[in-house]
Amino acid sequence: MTIEQDLSSVVEELRLHKHAIDEHAIVAITDPRGVITYINDKFCKISGYEPEELIGKTHRVVNSGTHPKSFFVDMWRAISSGKTWHGEICNRAKDGSLYWVDSTIVPFYDIDGNLTQYVSIRADVTERRAAEKLLKKTNDQLTRINDELEQFVYTASHDLKSPIVTMQGYLSYLQRDLSEGRTDRAPEFIERLALAADRMRQCVDDLLELSKIGRVTTNPQMVDLNEVVRSVVDSHKLELKELDVEVSVEPDLPTVYIDPNRLTDVIDNLLTNAIKYGVDNDEPVITIGGGTQEGGSKFFVQDNGNGIAPEYHSKVFSIFERLDTSKSGTGIGLSLVKKTVENGGGSIWLESIPGQGATFWISLPGYPDNE
């Protein structure tokens, strides 16, 4: 075999190697200053740029701004000292979309030891990164759900025992009285038993409702908050009149993106809570208002009752939490509200100063296509 044939064979082998690399990887070559001198078709395809838009430029063209300046300083320090650098970089395509590449940058030198170029071999790992992000989010959600479930089981078992203990106590009293032929206290004991049974029923109903949130398919849509508030307030009309509670609704409430049935439950629970604690004021007033904000909407339900101390602001959303046991209810209403709002991608928080009432704020995201 002649030298020319040997050389031709080597060239052909290199060509095949290059073809294989080009088929799989994103390739770019830069001079020692970082100016691009070569890019393959795969680089153009993923970045959306034509070769002439990249050749003669630096990689700043595709810089996404995701990484801090120190990230690239460390990278250049490594490759300029002759070391191969490996890492994942987030770039920005011509259309503005982001993509991640697993990159290996190798410095090349001539026979005299002078740096001649850098060769970058990259693989698109955007989908893998997205999958990892989704997996982490799912794991975080599962961890949170597991923690909530543990707390739920503990609290539910504890609070459900209360009416059971009450029922057992009065049943024993009733049994003893009847064995002694005494019936004068029977009506009172039966009434107590009925109240305890009704409380247990309410707890179970609320627990079942709480368990549906996030499990039962919902139908989120754009809902006029004005109509929902009007309907809920109207359903409490007799109670409001009897307790002499004034409800002030601000005009032009926002349109919100949520399941309309869930929104009704949210407003009903917040209004019920405001009525319950607002009557502590001689002239109870409940105010409902809100408006749009960047990325969605925000609204509030406010009472002028005794207010809540700061250390209890997050505690009020815990299941079965009743800060004032003299008030009726199961202590699940605000837990239902919180879970509903968060399941819809929103948030809820409390603003309150003791003696100055309480305001429950809810923020909901906008319609997905407008986010």
Side-chain angles (χ1 to χ4, degrees), residues 202-227:
Q202 289 179 11
C203 284
V204 172
D205 287 346
D206 284 350
L207 286 172
L208 289 173
E209 190 63 28
L210 187 64
S211 71
K212 290 179 184 178
I213 302 173
R215 180 172 57 84
V216 177
T217 302
T218 59
N219 179 33
Q221 54 189 273
M222 300 306 292
V223 185
D224 186 349
L225 186 58
N226 295 278
E227 294 182 4

Side-chain angles (χ1 to χ4, degrees), residues 31-33 79-80 82 106-110 113-118:
D31 65 17
R33 296 174 300 146
I79 60 178
S80 62
V106 182
F108 279 72
Y109 296 83
D110 60 20
N114 299 313
L115 179 66
T116 59
Q117 61 185 12
Y118 297 110

Side-chain angles (χ1 to χ4, degrees), residues 102-157:
D102 184 41
S103 306
T104 299
I105 305 175
V106 182
F108 279 72
Y109 296 83
D110 60 20
I111 57 175
D112 296 322
N114 299 313
L115 179 66
T116 59
Q117 61 185 12
Y118 297 110
V119 177
S120 303
I121 308 292
R122 302 180 174 94
D124 183 5
V125 293
T126 307
E127 290 186 3
R128 191 204 75 200
R129 296 274 305 201
E132 289 175 347
K133 184 177 181 181
L134 178 60
L135 180 61
K136 184 181 183 305
K137 181 180 179 182
T138 302
N139 285 335
D140 290 344
Q141 288 177 335
L142 288 174
T143 299
R144 177 179 56 79
I145 290 171
N146 186 59
D147 291 341
E148 288 179 351
L149 182 60
E150 288 183 3
Q151 181 63 33
F152 175 85
V153 171
Y154 172 79
T155 311
S157 61

